[in-house]
Amino acid sequence: MGIELGVVMDPIGSIKIRKDSTFAMLLAAQRRGWPLWYLEQRDLIAEGELTLGHMRRIEVEDNPEGWYRFAGSRTVPLERLPVLLMRKDPPFDMEYIYTTHLLEQAARRGCLVVNRPDSLRDSNEKLFTLQFPQCCPPTRVSRNLESLRDFHSEYADIILKPLGSMGGESVFRVRLGDPNLNVIIETLTDHGRQFTMAQRYIPEIAEGDKRILMVDGEPVPYALARVPAPGETRGNLAAGGRGEGRPLSERDRWIAAQVGTELRRRGILFAGLDVIGEFLTEINITSPTCIRELDAQYGLDIGGQLMDVIAERLAS
């Protein structure tokens, strides 16, 4: 029998398999003969120093008419699994943080959790970029109205976004003279009660927001450029962007090298860097996507690469 692999994810019945990276990972593991076990957050139970999971045996099929079936269940300590994928989508709320604490209990008792729970908790996808200022556009994080207005005055054309969302949700472009500046800041900061990120607008977004996938700190050689729909600022596929595969540029590889060492140090085996033009804008580690699109365009097996890394890590 192969390596037993568990996954914590959003309800599998609601995913779109043609673009779901978690599904690609499960297919890759199943091709290796690895038994798969499925959990949602509600299936986790803490008792003393143990974290148990009510897990269902699952088989997957690359078939849009029926892509999964369950075959039995069990409730056992998570440490019985050699490896567990944490693939719950944001929002990164308190329930997400509580989940990382429960998974950390299992990790301490020998389960390899991908990505490492303390790193999921400590590496906010927006704030993590602040460790690499040499790669990023001018950026400010604040909950102060005046501070964010000053940033807008300095750069004239900026992006404002919350720290815990995904898919381009609540991302605003604010140009000089925009009469909505104050209300946007008030809304995003909840009138000064929540931190918000401001970045100088990067015109190259018109050419696409590149997603660079990182496996154990090394970049996949192609990025998926998510090109905004007409009249749209955001390139996110969830916001209507169009995905185009592109070879990595020298600058892309330089950014990946800058970030890759720290990803490895934190036990982040799978990540997605967002690069617009010459600048790093986000480091996605919760549930980065784009595997399916890049596999289809270039004949890759990115999920398989990740499974190979996991197998090597377990063997060592």
Side-chain angles (χ1 to χ4, degrees):
M1 181 179 289
I3 298 167
E4 288 191 281
L5 179 143
V7 61
V8 177
M9 62 183 290
D10 291 303
I12 193 167
S14 64
I15 67 173
K16 296 179 174 61
I17 65 169
R18 65 181 177 81
K19 62 177 186 176
D20 193 275
S21 289
T22 304
F23 188 71
M25 295 175 187
L26 295 177
L27 287 172
Q30 185 172 269
R31 284 195 295 269
R32 286 158 171 73
W34 296 6
L36 307 178
W37 295 92
Y38 168 88
L39 305 95
E40 298 172 22
Q41 282 177 296
R42 63 182 179 176
D43 297 319
L44 300 175
I45 306 162
E47 289 186 2
E49 63 182 359
L50 297 179
T51 296
L52 298 90
H54 177 66
M55 55 186 76
R56 285 169 280 180
R57 181 78 164 84
I58 190 171
E59 297 175 354
V60 291
E61 180 181 350
D62 198 357
N63 176 4
E65 301 301 317
W67 54 91
Y68 71 98
R69 55 188 169 272
F70 294 125
S73 64
R74 64 184 186 182
T75 301
V76 297
L78 292 184
E79 65 199 65
R80 293 269 294 273
L81 293 172
V83 60
L84 178 71
L85 305 177
M86 173 50 173
R87 292 286 300 177
K88 172 70 181 68
D89 284 344
F92 191 90
D93 53 15
M94 288 307 300
E95 287 300 308
Y96 192 101
I97 291 174
Y98 299 149
T99 300
T100 66
H101 284 291
L102 298 186
L103 296 182
E104 197 168 13
Q105 293 272 78
R108 281 197 291 265
R109 297 178 66 86
C111 178
L112 174 63
V113 181
V114 180
N115 290 313
R116 207 171 73 197
D118 61 326
S119 293
L120 288 173
R121 197 166 56 243
D122 295 343
S123 310
N124 175 273
E125 301 188 332
K126 275 75 170 177
L127 296 178
F128 194 7
T129 62
L130 300 179
Q131 298 199 27
F132 309 97
Q134 71 276 23
C135 302
C136 299
T139 300
R140 179 172 296 175
V141 176
S142 177
R143 48 196 277 182
N144 180 274
L145 173 63
E146 184 177 353
S147 176
L148 293 170
R149 287 184 60 178
D150 287 346
F151 186 87
H152 179 254
S153 295
E154 181 176 359
Y155 293 104
D157 195 352
I158 68 171
I159 294 293
L160 289 164
K161 55 188 174 182
L163 298 181
S165 62
M166 64 170 287
E169 182 181 353
S170 299
V171 174
F172 293 88
R173 179 185 179 186
V174 189
R175 298 175 175 88
L176 189 64
D178 192 321
N180 296 306
L181 173 63
N182 285 346
V183 70
I184 290 171
I185 295 175
E186 290 166 5
T187 300
L188 290 178
T189 65
D190 191 17
H191 296 275
R193 289 186 286 267
Q194 295 180 169
F195 285 104
T196 293
M197 174 172 279
Q199 290 180 326
R200 180 175 62 78
Y201 175 72
I202 307 168
E204 288 83 358
I205 183 61
E207 302 166 12
D209 180 354
K210 290 178 286 187
R211 168 62 56 83
I212 301 172
L213 294 179
M214 304 284 289
V215 180
D216 197 19
E218 294 294 330
V220 172
Y222 302 94
L224 191 74
R226 295 157 300 168
V227 181
E232 177 62 77
T233 298
R234 302 165 298 171
N236 310 75
L237 300 181
R242 181 183 77 255
E244 295 180 359
R246 294 176 188 167
L248 297 190
S249 67
E250 289 188 17
R251 173 72 176 186
D252 294 336
R253 292 182 181 278
W254 180 81
I255 291 173
Q258 298 292 301
V259 179
T261 300
E262 183 63 15
L263 292 176
R264 283 191 294 270
R265 190 187 73 79
R266 295 187 182 214
I268 299 171
L269 298 188
F270 187 70
L273 311 184
D274 287 351
V275 175
I276 301 173
E278 301 289 297
F279 298 104
L280 174 70
T281 60
E282 294 187 16
I283 303 172
N284 296 269
I285 68 166
T286 51
S287 57
T289 186
C290 297
I291 287 180
R292 295 283 273 174
E293 294 88 346
L294 288 171
D295 280 357
Q297 291 190 39
Y298 294 105
L300 305 175
D301 181 15
I302 299 168
Q305 287 180 248
L306 178 61
M307 296 309 126
D308 289 344
V309 167
I310 287 171
E312 291 169 7
R313 190 63 55 92
L314 292 174
S316 65

